[in-house]
């Protein structure tokens, strides 16, 4: 049977592995250069491929929305710098897709021909491909801690509204010390207290806070105003 190389994968709660890399926007020292910001580090399988092209156009078109939520974007594939530059130029000059055109990708795209970074971050999954990174997404907080990891296979383009929802939910959980239920979006009720702190069930059931509703001892929700969430997270124009 063919032996498959196994790579270590960072986990949620770990410090983001450090690396220096060459990108389309110059050299970066990761995650040190991003201290104080959220950062989404994401990989794509290959330049000049259709699903990746649709993803880059979508992500680049939403970049300001992510930046306004104090989040920077950093891409990576195991292609070289000149391939990255040529691909991004072609996207800007030639590709029109779903109303997006002249799309300029201004966030850094890492060249990783040695696969050093891709291996460090568990982006190589030999069962899927031994030569291309899968579509990995790492959400890293302003202290350099990995807070969420999402993986997609080669054939499946990501949902960037969901990536934005995850970013806002992570920040809302930190800011308001709550958890966010299924499909949560700003304005929806949140969960109190956060997961893993069930020891105070009785006090919570008897809470005098009118905005808290306990359906049973293990399931209490609370109103959290949409404006309050957005004012806390989104940079004022
Ligand atoms: C794509 O982005 O279209 C793609 C990349 C690698 C394998 C399959 C599809």
């Amino acid at each position: 049977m063919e032996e498959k190389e196994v790579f270590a994968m960072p986990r949620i709660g770990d410090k983001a592995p450090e690396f220096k890399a060459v990108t389309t926007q110059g050299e970066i020292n990761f995650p040190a250069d991003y201290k104080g910001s959220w950062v989404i580090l994401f990989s794509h399988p290959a330049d000049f491929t259709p699903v990746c092209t649709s993803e880059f156009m979508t992500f680049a078109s939403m970049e300001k929305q992510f930046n306004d939520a104090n989040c920077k974007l950093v891409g990576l594939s195991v292609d070289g710098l000149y391939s990255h530059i040529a691909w991004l130029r072609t996207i800007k000059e030639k590709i029109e897709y779903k109303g997006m055109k002249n799309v300029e990708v201004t966030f850094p795209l890492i060249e990783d021909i040695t696969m050093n970074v891709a291996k460090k971050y568990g982006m190589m999954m030999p069962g899927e491909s031994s030569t291309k990174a899968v579509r990995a997404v790492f959400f890293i907080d302003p202290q350099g801690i990995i807070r969420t990891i999402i993986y997609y296979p080669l054939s499946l383009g990501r949902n960037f509204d969901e990536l934005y929802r995850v970013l806002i939910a992570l920040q809302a959980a930190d800011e308001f010390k709550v958890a966010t239920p299924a499909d949560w979006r700003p304005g929806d009720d949140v969960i109190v207290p956060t997961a893993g702190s069930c020891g105070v069930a009785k006090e919570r059931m008897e809470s005098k806070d009118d905005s808290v509703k306990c359906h049973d001892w293990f399931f209490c929700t609370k109103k959290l105003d949409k404006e309050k969430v957005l004012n806390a997270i989104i940079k004022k124009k």
Side-chain angles (χ1 to χ4, degrees), residues 45-46 49-53 132 135 154-155:
T49 52
V51 177
C52 301
T53 299
K132 295 175 174 63
R135 300 180 200 280
L154 300 191
S155 64

Side-chain angles (χ1 to χ4, degrees), residues 97-221:
Y97 172 70
K98 281 196 167 174
M100 297 178 278
K101 64 175 182 181
N102 277 319
V103 174
E104 188 157 5
V105 174
T106 53
F107 56 79
L109 175 50
I110 295 168
E111 78 154 359
D112 192 28
I113 33 183
T114 59
M115 301 188 187
N116 271 345
V117 181
K119 286 179 182 171
K120 237 179 196 182
Y121 273 82
M123 293 164 170
M124 302 307 297
M125 299 202 174
E128 178 74 346
S129 170
S130 53
T131 57
K132 295 175 174 63
V134 294
R135 300 180 200 280
V137 190
F138 288 81
F139 293 77
I140 297 164
D141 74 15
Q143 288 74 45
I145 303 296
I146 297 172
R147 299 291 299 278
T148 297
I149 306 173
I150 310 179
Y151 285 102
Y152 297 70
L154 300 191
S155 64
L156 178 59
R158 285 163 275 212
N159 181 322
F160 292 90
D161 289 333
E162 168 62 3
L163 301 190
Y164 186 70
R165 190 191 74 86
V166 170
L167 175 71
I168 300 301
L170 288 167
Q171 294 193 36
D174 286 358
E175 182 74 27
F176 298 100
K177 308 280 176 285
V178 295
T180 50
D183 297 332
W184 179 86
R185 289 189 178 273
D188 293 346
D189 291 355
V190 291
I191 305 277
V192 285
T194 52
S197 53
C198 285
V200 289
K202 186 165 181 293
E203 288 135 66
R204 195 176 348 132
M205 288 292 284
E206 291 162 3
S207 170
K208 303 267 182 300
D209 183 345
D210 286 344
S211 70
V212 174
K213 182 176 177 197
C214 279
H215 306 255
D216 204 333
W217 63 271
F218 64 92
F219 190 45
C220 296
T221 57

